[in-house]
Amino acid sequence: MDEQHQKQKNKYSIIVPTYNERLNISLILYLIFKHLQGVDFEVIVVDDGSPDGTQDVVKQLQQVYGEDRILLRARPRKMGLGPAYIHGMKHASGNFVVIMDADLSHHPKYLPGFLRKQLETGADIVTGTRYVKGGGVHGWNLMRKLTSRGANVLAQTLLWPGVSDLTGSFRLYKKSALEDIISCCVSKGYVFQMEMIVRASRKGYHIEEVPITFVDRVYGSSKLGGSEIVEYLKGLVYLLMTT
């Protein structure tokens, strides 16, 4: 079956977890619709009770794009990233699931490349990577780059997952693969992305990579602090002992 025909058969559910992303959400949704013209997709916004009015903006956008294209599936409070994806997946009608951040660090212009790579290779997972030719990071200071790179190299050395960017969270999954992997994951927060890809690799899923440039968030503050780095190291040790 040719790629075009296959793409028409596929439906993509894009899960976007949000917390206080009022300034970013309309732009990210606009860009998703702009870059995925002619593709069957829905966006599932999982908002964790943002006090800044994120949900009001999403409701206004539903009037523009349709409630069948933008699904608002809110939760009462902040309950972690892993549970946000599980919550979003319950409402996903696509056979593929894309997970991406709402803060514009993941540019929707890369989505067609993800879809194309999956169609060409039949991959179970396509993940965006900052660490191969054509990828990179924009707007980070040296310390942040070193921390991210160091965390990644450490994980590579200890876990050998065969993927160059473990902590990235811009990914396309076959829904069945995502359901299987997520059911094994125990971490919360920052380590969760790494656990997902390590478990996927251990289970023998076919993983492909697409170079992306990660842009530091445009509005709002980054969620990565000292406690998250400690969490990361604890998670790394846990994965080392259990996978």
Side-chain angles (χ1 to χ4, degrees):
M1 190 181 296
D2 68 344
E3 274 177 31
Q4 201 51 43
H5 190 182
Q6 185 60 41
K7 191 190 276 188
Q8 284 164 356
K9 262 182 55 182
N10 291 333
K11 181 171 183 183
Y12 302 86
S13 297
I14 302 168
I15 300 176
V16 183
T18 55
Y19 183 75
N20 285 354
E21 297 292 358
R22 183 174 62 86
L23 293 168
N24 293 319
I25 192 65
S26 50
L27 184 52
I28 191 110
L29 289 171
Y30 163 75
L31 289 168
I32 289 171
F33 277 85
K34 177 184 168 195
H35 288 285
L36 288 184
Q37 289 175 17
V39 174
D40 186 10
F41 73 93
E42 62 188 1
V43 183
I44 302 165
V45 180
V46 181
D47 184 71
D48 281 0
S50 297
D52 73 339
T54 298
Q55 291 185 33
D56 298 331
V57 176
V58 175
K59 284 172 188 163
Q60 287 172 357
L61 292 164
Q62 284 180 317
Q63 305 306 309
V64 179
Y65 293 108
E67 289 184 25
D68 57 326
R69 305 296 303 279
I70 298 178
L71 287 63
L72 176 58
R73 298 294 179 259
R75 302 188 300 171
R77 60 184 189 286
K78 285 188 89 166
M79 296 157 80
L81 200 53
Y85 294 140
I86 292 168
H87 183 75
M89 244 173 14
K90 285 183 194 145
H91 302 282
S93 61
N95 56 329
F96 283 90
V97 174
V98 174
I99 56 179
M100 63 188 298
D101 293 346
D103 62 8
L104 298 172
S105 55
H106 298 154
H107 199 299
K109 70 182 178 189
Y110 295 114
L111 287 169
F114 278 54
L115 271 54
R116 194 161 50 244
K117 176 68 93 172
Q118 194 287 321
L119 290 167
E120 284 167 3
T121 61
D124 300 304
I125 303 168
V126 177
T127 182
T129 176
R130 299 160 284 189
Y131 302 128
V132 297
K133 191 169 165 43
V137 173
H138 185 75
W140 278 12
N141 62 21
L142 183 63
M143 194 60 216
R144 182 101 189 263
K145 281 183 182 169
L146 287 174
T147 306
S148 170
R149 197 78 175 111
N152 214 51
V153 168
L154 185 62
Q156 291 292 346
T157 313
L158 297 176
L159 299 171
W160 284 92
V163 177
S164 68
D165 193 344
L166 288 170
T167 52
S169 52
F170 192 2
R171 295 182 185 146
L172 166 70
Y173 292 86
K174 280 185 181 166
K175 189 181 180 188
S176 53
L178 181 56
E179 285 169 338
D180 176 37
I181 297 157
I182 219 165
S183 66
C184 308
C185 288
V186 294
S187 348
K188 305 263 187 285
Y190 188 58
V191 186
F192 178 74
Q193 300 297 356
M194 179 173 69
E195 181 177 3
M196 294 261 288
I197 210 78
V198 170
R199 290 198 186 280
S201 170
R202 295 287 187 271
K203 282 169 169 280
Y205 281 108
H206 177 180
I207 304 168
E208 290 282 345
E209 296 189 308
V210 170
I212 61 164
T213 297
F214 179 99
V215 181
D216 207 15
R217 60 167 34 254
V218 183
Y219 299 113
S221 59
S222 174
K223 318 266 195 314
L224 179 60
S227 62
E228 249 121 350
I229 291 168
V230 174
E231 275 298 299
Y232 175 80
L233 294 170
K234 285 200 309 214
L236 198 59
V237 171
Y238 169 78
L239 283 174
L240 203 70
M241 291 161 69
T242 59
T243 60

